[in-house]
């Protein structure tokens, strides 16, 4: 049986597994304050969270990581790959608000300049799709849901109200 050198003594792999299991089991009996103290010991900085489940998960991962002496080479390489990949969100500058950036356009929306029409309570409502939101009755709205609320007086999902929710499915079927 191969022996592994621990910090204080030499233990066998079976004893190491039992010790690890005991450390992990103790987390379930700890209070939030005790979990935060243990977090500080293992990570070297104080925990900002007081969420018991979150702290247990982070501590369990850290205890396991330390017991096997860090991450595997494969895991380290994957982290390095992810760190060097370009960030997937493309940011675009707004013309009406020069300092602001926003997320890419939702695929359910038609191109800027299009008009969305909806008949609601026997009245036709028209909303113009803009580069950075929507125009309705001469006002600018950031979201379609805000326009739907303005029209109906109640909270609506804007995509559902203007029947845009299925646009992605329809376009992919063509």
């Amino acid at each position: 049986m191969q022996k592994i050198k621990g910090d204080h003594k030499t233990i066998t792999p079976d004893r190491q597994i039992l010790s690890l299991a005991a450390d992990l089991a103790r987390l379930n009996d700890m209070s939030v304050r005790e979990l935060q103290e243990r977090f500080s010991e293992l990570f070297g900085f104080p925990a900002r969270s007081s969420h018991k489940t979150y702290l247990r998960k982070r501590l369990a991962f850290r205890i396991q990581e330390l017991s096997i002496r860090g991450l595997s080479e494969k895991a380290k390489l994957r982290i390095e790959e992810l760190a060097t990949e370009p960030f997937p969100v493309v940011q675009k500058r707004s013309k009406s608000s020069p300092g602001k950036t926003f997320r890419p356009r939702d695929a359910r929306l038609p191109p800027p300049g299009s008009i969305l029409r909806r008949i609601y309570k026997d009245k036709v409502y028209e909303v113009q799709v803009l580069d950075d939101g929507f125009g309705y009755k001469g006002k600018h709205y950031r979201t379609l849901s805000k326009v739907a609320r303005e029209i109906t007086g109640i909270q609506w999902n804007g995509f559902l109200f203007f029947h845009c929710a299925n646009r992605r499915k329809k376009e992919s079927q063509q």
Side-chain angles (χ1 to χ4, degrees):
M1 177 179 282
Q2 180 187 9
K3 293 191 175 191
I4 299 173
K5 277 205 178 248
D7 293 336
H8 307 287
K9 55 191 170 198
T10 303
I11 57 175
T12 63
D14 291 339
R15 287 182 114 189
Q16 185 180 21
I17 291 169
L18 290 174
S19 173
L20 174 62
D23 284 345
L24 296 175
R26 275 193 290 275
L27 294 176
N28 291 326
D29 299 327
M30 294 175 125
S31 68
V32 172
R33 182 172 303 283
E34 291 170 327
L35 290 168
Q36 288 174 327
E37 289 171 4
R38 185 74 172 132
F39 186 97
S40 293
E41 291 170 13
L42 294 179
F43 285 94
F45 56 90
R48 294 185 305 183
S49 176
S50 59
H51 192 273
K52 203 171 200 178
T53 305
Y54 171 79
L55 290 168
R56 281 184 189 143
K57 287 179 182 180
R58 288 287 309 267
L59 287 168
F61 181 83
R62 184 68 173 160
I63 289 167
Q64 291 174 71
E65 178 187 4
L66 292 172
S67 74
I68 62 169
R69 309 291 188 259
L71 298 172
S72 68
E73 285 304 313
K74 184 178 177 181
K76 288 177 186 176
L77 289 172
R78 181 65 180 140
I79 289 171
E80 194 63 37
E81 281 177 30
L82 291 172
T84 58
E85 286 180 9
F87 193 69
V89 175
V90 177
Q91 293 190 347
K92 182 177 176 183
R93 295 237 175 246
S94 167
K95 291 177 185 171
S96 62
S97 307
K100 290 189 174 182
T101 60
F102 55 92
R103 293 197 165 121
R105 175 167 296 285
D106 192 300
R108 296 174 287 183
L109 289 174
S114 301
I115 302 293
L116 298 173
R117 286 183 184 82
R118 166 69 199 263
I119 298 173
Y120 179 73
K121 293 190 176 181
D122 298 324
K123 188 174 177 188
V124 177
Y125 295 90
E126 293 184 346
V127 175
Q128 184 177 16
V129 179
L130 305 173
D131 280 333
D132 59 348
F134 304 92
Y136 173 66
K137 285 190 171 181
K139 292 183 183 175
H140 180 269
Y141 293 85
R142 282 187 41 225
T143 68
L144 208 46
S145 295
K146 295 278 186 190
V147 178
R149 184 179 180 105
E150 178 74 24
I151 292 168
T152 65
I154 59 173
Q155 187 62 45
W156 265 89
N157 178 310
F159 291 108
L160 292 176
F161 183 78
F162 286 99
H163 305 292
C164 297
N166 296 327
R167 180 180 301 276
R168 189 180 293 161
K169 290 180 185 175
K170 288 178 186 175
E171 288 176 358
S172 66
Q173 291 173 354
Q174 292 176 355

